[in-house]
Amino acid sequence: MAEKGKNHDLFFGILLSLFSLYVLIESWRMPVEKVGGYYTAFYSAPGFLPFLTSGVLLMMGVYLVIHSLRKGGTLSWISWPNFLWLIKERRTQRVLLILTLCGLYAFWGIGRAPYWIVTFVFIATFMSLFKATQWWKILTISAGCVAVLYLLFARVFEIPLP
């Protein structure tokens, strides 16, 4: 198991580093708004939090790669049969489902319908697919989350929601 762990750590560390680097660059490129004729500081720009988060994830990915290489990790295990085995594994399918749901929410849902509807559908679908609880509790929790998000961000912090 330790053999697989270091090899998988190397693979995941590379993926995490590449993805984090992409998000880091894209968040740096996000526009800084002009308020009252002056540009706001980068720390108040919409790309600041993704920039910080991806920077930390990049450091973790690089650490994981270095640590795995020191333990003797290699990518020689990557082959078509291993890939097919990995795709058939239940944990992999769950991760792919989560990534698909998040991608649909972020890249397809937001902007096509009101934020509160898209977010409610996302949370309810997520909880339903993973059988979190009874259907009426799922609907109640989803509605409560959307209400809290709306009140907190739109009303208290006065941050416009998409």
Side-chain angles (χ1 to χ4, degrees), residues 7-109:
N7 293 335
H8 293 168
D9 283 351
L10 177 62
F11 181 69
F12 181 73
I14 291 170
L15 289 180
L16 181 63
S17 298
L18 291 173
F19 178 74
S20 300
L21 187 60
Y22 170 74
V23 173
L24 188 82
I25 291 168
E26 290 301 315
S27 62
W28 182 262
R29 294 176 49 196
M30 287 181 84
V32 177
E33 294 182 22
K34 221 175 185 183
V35 177
Y38 298 98
Y39 287 102
T40 58
F42 179 68
Y43 61 82
S44 64
F48 183 63
L49 185 59
F51 182 82
L52 285 179
T53 305
S54 60
V56 170
L57 287 174
L58 178 62
M59 288 188 287
M60 290 178 180
V62 168
Y63 172 78
L64 197 56
V65 168
I66 292 169
H67 181 72
S68 177
L69 288 173
R70 284 185 181 162
K71 295 273 186 182
T74 67
L75 296 177
S76 62
W77 62 274
I78 297 177
S79 65
W80 188 249
N82 283 344
F83 178 74
L84 291 177
W85 170 82
L86 189 64
I87 292 298
K88 291 177 184 176
E89 191 172 309
R90 179 173 160 80
R91 291 180 296 176
T92 303
Q93 292 173 353
R94 290 176 71 100
V95 168
L96 292 174
L97 178 61
I98 290 168
L99 291 174
T100 301
L101 286 174
C102 291
L104 285 172
Y105 173 72
F107 299 115
W108 186 79

